[in-house]
Amino acid sequence: MTEITTFAQPSPNARAGVVLMLLAMVMFSLNDVLGKWLVATYSVSQLMLIRSVAALVVLSPLFWRTGPRQLLAVDKPWLHMARALFFVFEASAFYFAVAYMSLADAMTYWLAAPIYVAAVSPLFLGEHVGWRRWSAILIGFAGVLIALEPSEKTFALPALVALAGSIAFGLAMVLGRSLRTTPDTTLVFWQAAAAAIVSLVIILVEPAQWAPVRPLDFGLLCLLGVVAMSAHMLVNRSLKLADAATVVPLQYTLLLWAIAFGWLFFGDLPRPAMLAGAALIVLSGLFIFFRELKLKREGRL
């Protein structure tokens, strides 16, 4: 065996994993920009419906190869349904929030999702959380409060929806841990199908949610689903090429892109309180991640 030292050069696969993760974060950020621009014209339900149907169409060859039995005849169907609905709510909440607030503000709430996961893991997953991680969780929550700037103005509907959406994202991640043996194709199918069905029902109940779509906008709405799907595939590929400790922290570059694209496309400048809160959230999230990684390697998690 070749001894691996602390100063070993990264392998080509690891470097490729880093590049793919960084590219995925850029694509996610561009997807957010596109969504913020489109939601100014179209309802969240219409955006979610077209986005989800486009993703289902693009992935249909993969679903066909998997077969309906593996897609639908799953263990714990209620957990699959709950996870899919949480993802539908969090995606809808994000698009609603960015219609009224900057990309950086909205992204700050979503970066807190791993903190929520760590907080509820003892209850839902039976995981032991020691004092170190509890301290990081409390610091992360403090960061959320700082970013929120509690006042009558900041506790408006968009901020509350963003907070609820980020919590729903965290709960979906918890359920994802419970369904870790399920193939990725099945998880993606349930997620996209649930978004399409829920959005369609909302539009049928309230037809005013649907507006005539210009040809160019229709292409951009479809592109939302394709870009998000491609970004997810890049993340998965990155995690196969490189160690999680190397590439997962790179996901926090989403905040940098949100700040840059928010200023470039919408003229939004980050608030000082948001930057301070985001710093605490990122630091606590990184500590929780590396602490859990260490405990897993030691067999204690």
Side-chain angles (χ1 to χ4, degrees):
M1 292 181 63
T2 302
E3 183 178 356
I4 300 176
T5 68
T6 306
F7 303 100
Q9 293 295 320
S11 68
N13 281 348
R15 287 195 291 268
V18 168
V19 172
L20 291 181
M21 180 63 77
L22 291 173
L23 180 59
M25 297 305 104
V26 175
M27 293 184 68
F28 274 129
S29 300
L30 291 174
N31 183 75
D32 297 341
V33 169
L34 195 56
K36 180 177 174 64
W37 185 73
L38 288 168
V39 83
T41 305
Y42 304 100
S43 71
V44 173
S45 299
Q46 184 172 2
L47 183 149
M48 288 290 292
L49 176 59
I50 298 176
R51 172 184 185 267
S52 303
V53 171
L56 287 170
V57 170
V58 172
L59 288 171
S60 58
L62 187 60
F63 295 147
W64 179 265
R65 188 173 63 182
T66 302
R69 180 174 179 81
Q70 187 172 341
L71 292 176
L72 300 174
V74 294
D75 295 329
K76 305 175 183 177
W78 291 107
L79 282 184
H80 280 277
M81 188 177 299
R83 175 186 173 276
L85 291 176
F86 276 133
F87 270 123
V88 172
F89 178 79
E90 73 88 10
S92 301
F94 181 83
Y95 288 124
F96 177 86
V98 295
Y100 299 95
M101 59 199 309
S102 71
L103 288 172
D105 280 6
M107 188 56 65
T108 298
Y109 293 113
W110 262 261
L111 290 179
I115 299 168
Y116 305 145
V117 173
V120 302
S121 290
L123 179 62
F124 291 100
L125 301 176
E127 295 180 358
H128 172 71
V129 176
W131 68 270
R132 294 180 182 85
R133 279 191 290 164
W134 275 122
S135 298
I137 290 168
L138 292 176
I139 292 173
F141 279 130
V144 173
L145 288 176
I146 292 172
L148 189 60
E149 284 187 289
S151 68
E152 291 184 3
K153 181 180 179 181
T154 55
F155 272 113
L157 183 60
L160 294 177
V161 169
L163 186 60
S166 65
I167 293 173
F169 182 47
L171 293 174
M173 291 169 66
V174 171
L175 293 178
R177 289 188 179 186
S178 301
L179 300 170
R180 60 172 62 92
T181 58
T182 304
D184 290 342
T185 306
T186 302
L187 293 175
V188 170
F189 172 79
W190 279 70
Q191 188 174 331
I197 293 171
V198 171
S199 303
L200 179 60
V201 169
I202 293 174
I203 291 172
L204 290 176
V205 172
E206 192 173 352
Q209 293 284 322
W210 183 271
V213 184
R214 296 189 294 267
L216 175 61
D217 289 350
F218 180 78
L220 294 176
L221 287 164
C222 292
L223 188 63
L224 271 178
V226 176
V227 170
M229 176 201 67
S230 300
H232 280 295
M233 292 173 64
L234 288 175
V235 169
N236 291 336
R237 185 62 180 168
S238 170
L239 289 168
K240 291 179 180 179
L241 292 174
D243 188 82
T246 301
V247 295
V248 168
L250 298 175
Q251 295 181 2
Y252 287 104
T253 59
L254 273 172
L255 182 60
L256 300 178
W257 288 115
I259 293 172
F261 288 156
W263 171 76
L264 181 62
F265 293 105
F266 305 104
D268 294 330
L269 292 175
R271 297 175 292 111
M274 186 280 293
L275 292 175
L280 290 178
I281 291 169
V282 171
L283 288 174
S284 62
L286 287 173
F287 178 86
I288 290 169
F289 170 72
F290 284 111
R291 180 63 182 170
E292 289 185 352
L293 204 63
K294 182 176 183 292
L295 294 176
K296 287 177 181 177
R297 287 171 176 168
E298 295 174 354
R300 292 192 285 159
L301 185 65

